[in-house]
Amino acid sequence: MSDQYFSLRMRAERDGEHCGGGERIATPAALAALAAELVARAVDRSGGLPDAVHCTIERLRGEIPCGRLPDLRTWLAADWRDGRRVARSLLLRAGVAGVAADAALAGLAAGAAPGGRVMRGAMIVDAATGARLEPDAARGVRVSRMDLAPAARPAILAALAAAGLGHQRVVEALVLAGKVLAAPALVAELCWSDEPGYLPGYVADPVHGYQRIVPLKAVGDGRGGRALFVRRSAYRADAFIDFLERQPLLFETLGAIRAPESWRD
Ligand code: WAQ
Ligand code: MG
């Protein structure tokens, strides 16, 4: 279906800091309700009201490619420190150097934007050295213009819910990671939420898919973010950022889902 879709993007901020967002793709008929849903999400936050809510709606032109979501598995950790060790091991397995994994883990834990704030988007990290490559360390790169294919959405949500994975954060993170894993030069992604009460995070890589880690942070911690590790030799900033921010992608198929298990080095 061409020319029948719109991109909706919302991001909210408070005290100059990112405090929530959403990226969806909708048919014209679903547009108004979805916009209302995203705005409601921005003002209905436990952490307090936002200072600003930015909402952008844009028509998408041309055919939108359809893909398959990454396989999903869950690694159970003893506590958040153990979870960070699991994340480090998974990053190394994906081809990220120890120095780069450590730099990104420390950066997300401290707040990766200037002044120790939470970034609005993701940092881009050289997988060999840990060097930060994103043009703007406060904004980062915003992965957007991706969603479940509307026709496939109900079945995918039902299957995830049946596996105990129906939480909106899981769905959105799985879709975002699915787009990230399709980016050129991508080695792995590391993520955990800035929401103080949401403790799972994930490491995603093209071979092992979306690997949840529970927990990956301490209760009450309002620091979170995303790190996209890239192979510097193949990395072209323009192509990488354009793909993640501008090229639309829909997902119409779920990957394999494995039962939770414990990670052993
Ligand atoms: N593009 C790039 N970075 C983003 C985006 C985006 N569209 N949206 C958010 N971020 C960055 C930003 O720095 C946020 O502070 C951080 O990621 C976390 O965003 O399987 O909920 O929306 O149980 O809080 C992962 C685990 C949940 C889900 C992640 O992220 C599961 C989550 P949040
Ligand atoms: Mg958030």
Side-chain angles (χ1 to χ4, degrees):
M1 219 175 11
S2 57
D3 293 355
Q4 298 293 326
Y5 287 115
F6 287 82
S7 153
L8 278 82
R9 302 193 299 284
M10 181 281 286
R11 85 182 171 74
E13 60 188 47
R14 183 176 50 249
D15 299 331
E17 215 168 4
H18 169 90
C19 68
E23 292 77 25
R24 298 291 306 271
I25 291 175
T27 58
L31 200 54
L34 252 185
E37 190 183 312
L38 287 176
V39 172
R41 186 203 290 196
V43 295
D44 179 28
R45 297 181 62 84
S46 48
L49 290 173
D51 295 323
V53 180
H54 305 274
C55 219
T56 306
I57 298 177
E58 266 174 4
R59 185 136 176 212
L60 299 172
R61 296 288 181 178
E63 293 289 331
I64 302 181
C66 274
R68 177 183 188 266
L69 288 164
D71 293 344
L72 181 156
R73 61 196 302 172
T74 301
W75 297 111
L76 301 174
D79 55 32
W80 69 270
R81 285 191 184 81
D82 186 41
R84 301 268 166 103
R85 281 191 288 272
V86 174
R88 186 179 194 278
S89 297
L90 296 178
L91 289 170
L92 265 55
R93 180 171 76 164
V96 175
V99 62
D102 291 338
L105 284 160
L108 293 192
R117 288 168 172 260
V118 172
M119 292 176 71
R120 303 201 291 280
M123 50 175 159
I124 305 174
V125 180
D126 182 331
T129 67
R132 299 266 298 266
L133 304 176
E134 73 279 4
D136 178 337
R139 179 181 181 278
V141 47
R142 293 278 307 168
V143 185
S144 68
R145 295 176 167 82
M146 69 287 178
D147 204 343
L148 299 176
R153 185 175 196 90
I156 291 177
L157 293 185
L160 285 170
L165 297 164
H167 198 294
Q168 174 178 290
R169 284 187 187 275
V170 180
V171 178
E172 292 183 354
L174 183 62
V175 167
L176 190 152
K179 186 165 185 205
V180 164
L181 291 180
L186 193 280
V187 175
E189 179 189 0
L190 166 69
C191 164
W192 67 85
S193 178
D194 54 71
E195 172 64 44
Y198 197 79
L199 312 184
Y202 66 87
V203 167
D205 77 65
V207 173
H208 304 94
Y210 180 87
Q211 304 170 87
R212 312 178 65 230
I213 302 164
V214 188
L216 191 48
K217 75 169 195 191
V219 184
D221 184 353
R223 299 263 166 258
R226 284 184 156 91
L228 312 182
F229 298 89
V230 295
R231 193 170 298 104
R232 192 73 174 269
S233 57
Y235 173 73
R236 300 287 173 271
D238 290 355
F240 186 77
I241 295 170
D242 176 76
F243 174 81
L244 290 174
E245 297 197 334
R246 304 208 62 88
Q247 301 306 315
L249 182 57
L250 290 169
F251 293 93
E252 58 182 1
T253 319
L254 195 58
I257 299 182
R258 308 247 293 233
E261 57 201 305
S262 297
W263 169 266
R264 290 191 221 302
D265 272 309

